[in-house]
Amino acid sequence: MLRLIALAALATAFLAPPQHCHAQTPQIAAEQRMQHISIVALGEAKKGREPVYLIPGLSSPRQVWDGIAPDLAKDRQVLLVQVNGFGGDGIGQNGKSGMTDGIIPDILADAAKRGAKRPAVIGHSYGGLIAMMLAARHPDRVGRLLVVDTLPFFGRLFDPAATPASIAPRAEQLRAMTIAGADRMKAMPAVTSDPGGIWSNTPEGRIKVANWGLKADQRAVAQALYEDIVTDIGPELGKVTAKPFTILYAAGMGEAQAKAVWERAYAGTPARLVAVPDSYHFIMLDQPQRFAAEVKAFLAE
């Protein structure tokens, strides 16, 4: 619970991304830019095997998947999503109302263009919310769903009794604070020593996440943060038909407390919950081997 409280208190610090994928990965397609996202494809489409979309979190880049993407691309096409503005690139149509809803049709259009009927979708944090929205509102378009350390209603971290309407003023305050801090973020030098924080349980991970954060366009971050806080996808999760539908959550600040929070949040949904001990929010950085094994098991089911 301490981890969740801290996560809410530090919501404005959600951090950010570079734009291009791992230099050593073979067969990297050119970046495809849309109104709300860009996509880089790794590997070739495989007959009889649907591709997998990887969606990073708030202020995070596609590089967050560097530990698994090259290996996954040996067996299937990997589609690395990045929200416009999160990598320091142009924000496109982001930074204004409807940003999160706008990401969904971009992904669907890309899948249709590639002939991907029911791709696998993996999302972390804010990307997990996007993945759940996609699977709940378009259940015939998602074959598998893996959500990494994402609650269905982020707003309840601030107030357990919150509704989207009641939490909106707090979310608006955080949006304004994020925009107000944009110039300060731009002026900050690269982080070279441990900044502390709850995003990763290693100094190396915290430094990496902090430097990603400095590159994000805060207009896009602020709007995404607002929409993340006020969106409750929980009531819609019963519509998800993707199998498996797995929630991978960090339990590095107390397994029993984390289990209680996550099981309560997903009660009554078709999701299967899997705890990852000894990890904070960026599971892929803190427990890379365990994370890779969970992703491979998810795609093999």
Side-chain angles (χ1 to χ4, degrees), residues 179-196:
I179 293 173
D183 289 341
R184 177 181 60 83
M185 292 282 284
K186 286 181 181 179
M188 290 178 65
V191 177
T192 57
S193 59
D194 187 358

Side-chain angles (χ1 to χ4, degrees), residues 27-256:
Q27 300 180 356
I28 305 174
E31 181 183 73
Q32 302 296 313
R33 291 191 62 83
M34 287 158 275
Q35 289 187 329
H36 298 277
I37 61 173
S38 65
I39 294 178
V40 169
L42 302 186
E44 298 179 347
K46 301 291 194 300
K47 186 176 180 179
R49 183 161 292 189
E50 292 283 1
V52 55
Y53 284 86
L54 303 181
I55 311 172
L58 192 66
S59 291
S60 291
R62 56 176 57 98
Q63 280 86 347
V64 78
W65 308 112
D66 276 359
I68 62 167
D71 194 43
L72 294 180
K74 296 174 184 177
D75 299 321
R76 68 183 68 233
Q77 190 171 55
V78 176
L79 303 168
L80 296 163
V81 176
Q82 185 168 286
V83 175
N84 291 342
F86 282 6
D89 51 348
I91 66 173
Q93 294 299 308
N94 292 338
K96 53 190 177 183
S97 181
M99 174 178 165
T100 309
D101 285 337
I103 292 171
I104 305 299
D106 278 2
I107 295 174
L108 291 174
D110 182 80
K113 181 178 68 175
R114 298 177 191 276
K117 295 181 179 180
R118 288 176 62 86
V121 180
I122 301 176
H124 172 238
S125 192
Y126 175 61
L129 172 64
I130 294 167
M132 288 190 285
M133 291 170 64
L134 179 62
R137 297 174 184 178
H138 303 274
D140 59 327
R141 301 291 299 276
V142 177
R144 300 168 183 265
L145 176 62
L146 175 61
V147 176
V148 184
D149 214 49
T150 309
L151 289 167
F153 184 18
F154 183 29
R156 289 216 174 99
L157 290 181
F158 299 87
D159 176 3
T163 65
S166 72
I167 203 65
R170 176 75 64 86
E172 177 55 46
Q173 182 182 41
L174 290 173
R175 175 167 57 183
M177 289 171 58
T178 302
I179 293 173
D183 289 341
R184 177 181 60 83
M185 292 282 284
K186 286 181 181 179
M188 290 178 65
V191 177
T192 57
S193 59
D194 187 358
I198 60 169
W199 310 117
S200 171
N201 64 9
T202 70
E204 296 80 9
R206 291 189 289 268
I207 290 169
K208 181 175 287 189
V209 172
N211 281 310
W212 286 341
L214 293 178
K215 296 184 180 180
D217 188 310
Q218 296 303 297
R219 294 171 296 173
V221 172
Q223 185 60 33
L225 175 61
Y226 174 85
E227 294 181 8
D228 196 4
I229 293 171
V230 301
T231 300
D232 181 5
I233 195 63
E236 300 180 55
L237 292 182
K239 300 175 184 177
V240 173
T241 60
K243 293 182 180 179
F245 173 15
T246 303
I247 309 295
L248 200 64
Y249 67 92
M253 291 189 178
E255 290 185 54

